[in-house]
Amino acid sequence: MRRFVVLLGMAAALSAATGAQAYHRFWAHCNYDPSTFMTTMTRDAAQDYANAARYEGYQWGGGCWNYDDVDAYPYDPPADAGMHGEGGDCSGLTFKTWRESTDTWRDGRWYWRALRNVHGPYDAAAFRDGVGAPNHVVAKSTAGVMDAFASGTHIGMVFMRSPYGGDQIVEAKCEACGTNIFYRTYRSDSSYGGVGRWGWTG
Amino acid sequence: MDRLIGAPLALLMLVAAACDRDARPARLLDGRPAAHFRRVDDSILTTARILRRPGLGRRLESCLFRGDRPRVAPDALVVERVGVVGESLTFANRGHTGVYACDGGIDPAGERAPPWCGAVFGELVDGRLLDPRLDVICRTTRRMPLAYVFVDPVPGAHWVGVDQGGYVELYEVLGAVPVRVASTRHVDTANARASFTVAQYDVAGRLLTRQELEAAVAG
């Protein structure tokens, strides 16, 4: 009987440890493969790339997801980059969709696979300010498909303009709301600026 | 013969060990002599002062996004810091719901004129930051990757010390805003991450906390 109780206790401890370790281990599925240099980058392809990231979740400081349409770890604590959950954050999604380099002085096109864990050097404010060779500030009135609106704390890309004054924005918004396309009025919000990517080929 | 070989080898090892640790610099980034705080071993004091926004003129306005300018009070208090490799301005927005930092250095893309190469904003919740707002975009004048983060002082802290290898860079806690610190150590630009060894001291230099701060670019 004593042996049974000891084994039961060990089993309980092990199962608890396994659960704790399994949680927030989505990054174990991610990789650090090199990006692929591309000569082309179309707005259509960027739409497809960002659209495919929908429902894959949100991770503060993250940039790694699969394509199963499920957020493996929703409702993580906000602003904790150590959770290692699935999904990008707003700037990570933009960085990968815009095929940017981790070197801010490079303006070429670098394709990152979904499971490649990369966030890039820019936060939303840096995008908003047009920091980095591939990025530039655009007038909000002229921002088109797959240009973006960025504030000091958030960035979302224009998926399509809406006839109702706002835009359909593809964005990684928050742990609870994940990555999706939302109707937003960033275009008329004074805290947001317009930002674009140089080098579209179509 | 063994002794003859052993002596230079030991000397070589000593030199290698010394090279691995940054020697304590004699001057700060602006050329002023670097002072030492006796209560903290191998320390260097960064300079810090509080100014009003108008007193900084274009030095601040050139860093602040035009849409954010109305969100900062015209006479806002600004903490200006100069360290060994970095310099910064830190100030809160009107409602003290967030804090801005202008980070000094070289912009490797060559788009921003010195002294600023980066600007960040961090939201405050109950007066504390959710995230240290890492910035890894800047480079030093020697083109080394330079990382900036905010450190929230613990109660009673008067000095924030950052381990820079061969010395501890001390930042005075000023102005009721988080302390913006800089380092060239353990900066991983490829993964937009950096780690800092941060100690906090009271006014007499007594150690209050020491921690590893792991930070990632986010948001």
Side-chain angles (χ1 to χ4, degrees):
Chain A
M1 182 61 189
R2 187 190 288 175
R3 193 176 173 194
F4 173 76
V5 171
V6 169
L7 284 173
L8 189 69
M10 286 173 65
L14 277 173
S15 64
T18 308
Q21 286 172 2
Y23 195 58
H24 304 149
R25 283 291 183 88
F26 183 81
W27 283 14
H29 305 293
C30 305
N31 64 62
Y32 292 88
D33 294 344
S35 55
T36 306
F37 180 76
M38 309 289 282
T39 54
T40 62
M41 182 181 66
T42 66
R43 293 178 192 263
D44 279 357
Q47 274 183 310
D48 289 346
Y49 187 90
N51 189 43
R54 292 169 74 189
Y55 314 119
E56 300 298 344
Y58 176 94
Q59 171 60 52
W60 182 256
C64 167
W65 57 87
N66 57 21
Y67 286 132
D68 66 356
D69 287 345
V70 174
D71 180 2
Y73 299 107
Y75 309 116
D76 278 339
D80 188 343
M83 289 292 102
H84 298 184
E86 184 179 8
D89 67 8
C90 57
S91 46
L93 174 68
T94 305
F95 173 85
K96 290 182 80 171
T97 303
W98 282 2
R99 298 187 180 181
E100 304 211 346
S101 167
T102 54
D103 296 318
T104 59
W105 49 272
R106 291 182 193 269
D107 62 0
R109 308 169 190 95
W110 308 85
Y111 181 78
W112 304 95
R113 294 179 190 282
L115 280 170
R116 170 58 158 93
N117 194 10
V118 62
H119 178 278
Y122 312 107
D123 62 9
F127 273 118
R128 178 198 61 191
D129 298 348
V131 171
N135 308 315
H136 64 110
V137 172
V138 299
K140 286 202 285 186
S141 58
T142 63
V145 171
M146 298 319 282
D147 289 336
F149 297 119
S151 72
T153 54
H154 183 60
I155 180 169
M157 292 167 284
V158 178
F159 197 75
M160 63 175 66
R161 290 187 78 149
S162 162
Y164 307 108
D167 299 273
Q168 296 293 332
I169 299 288
V170 59
E171 57 187 354
K173 183 64 176 171
C174 66
E175 284 288 354
C177 38
T179 298
N180 211 331
I181 296 172
F182 302 93
Y183 175 80
R184 304 290 186 197
T185 55
Y186 298 150
R187 194 180 289 268
S188 57
D189 184 335
S190 66
S191 61
Y192 280 78
V195 57
R197 168 68 156 107
W198 295 115
W200 297 107
T201 57
Chain B
M1 186 63 187
D2 284 349
R3 223 182 269 174
L4 283 175
I5 294 170
L9 193 65
L11 185 65
L12 192 67
M13 285 169 73
L14 269 173
V15 169
C19 290
D20 192 40
R21 295 174 67 81
D22 298 332
R24 203 169 77 191
R27 297 196 174 273
L28 300 178
L29 186 65
D30 60 2
R32 279 184 281 183
H36 166 58
F37 184 45
R38 278 191 306 128
R39 301 287 182 89
V40 178
D41 291 340
D42 298 321
S43 63
I44 275 187
L45 281 171
T46 61
T47 62
R49 58 178 180 161
I50 298 180
L51 300 161
R52 292 276 178 191
R53 180 180 177 182
L56 284 153
R58 208 180 132 59
R59 183 164 161 78
L60 184 146
E61 305 304 324
S62 66
C63 145
L64 196 55
F65 174 63
R66 64 186 180 288
D68 284 341
R69 286 174 194 159
R71 296 185 171 83
V72 179
D75 61 345
L77 294 176
V78 181
V79 178
E80 183 186 55
R81 298 182 184 280
V82 179
V84 174
V85 291
E87 61 180 312
S88 67
L89 301 177
T90 311
F91 45 97
N93 63 5
R94 281 178 187 273
H96 279 255
T97 56
V99 61
Y100 294 91
C102 303
D103 298 331
I106 304 294
D107 173 7
E111 296 173 329
R112 285 195 142 195
W116 309 125
C117 48
V120 297
F121 175 76
E123 288 180 278
L124 294 168
V125 176
D126 297 328
R128 297 187 74 80
L129 286 160
L130 286 171
D131 173 272
R133 307 313 300 152
L134 172 67
D135 179 356
V136 292
I137 287 174
C138 301
R139 299 290 182 271
T140 67
T141 48
R142 293 181 179 179
R143 300 281 165 174
M144 290 171 68
L146 175 61
Y148 284 89
V149 284
F150 280 121
V151 175
D152 262 325
V154 298
H158 188 80
W159 303 102
V160 171
V162 178
D163 183 358
Q164 304 285 16
Y167 63 98
V168 175
E169 197 167 20
L170 284 179
Y171 297 80
E172 189 174 8
V173 176
L174 279 180
V177 286
V179 179
R180 194 71 172 161
V181 304
S183 181
T184 54
R185 299 185 82 215
H186 309 305
V187 184
D188 179 358
T189 53
N191 292 306
R193 288 179 168 261
S195 65
F196 297 75
T197 304
V198 177
Q200 300 197 30
Y201 308 88
D202 68 9
V203 70
R206 281 185 291 267
L207 180 68
L208 300 175
T209 67
R210 186 189 302 277
Q211 63 173 39
E212 286 292 319
L213 175 59
E214 302 274 348
V217 177

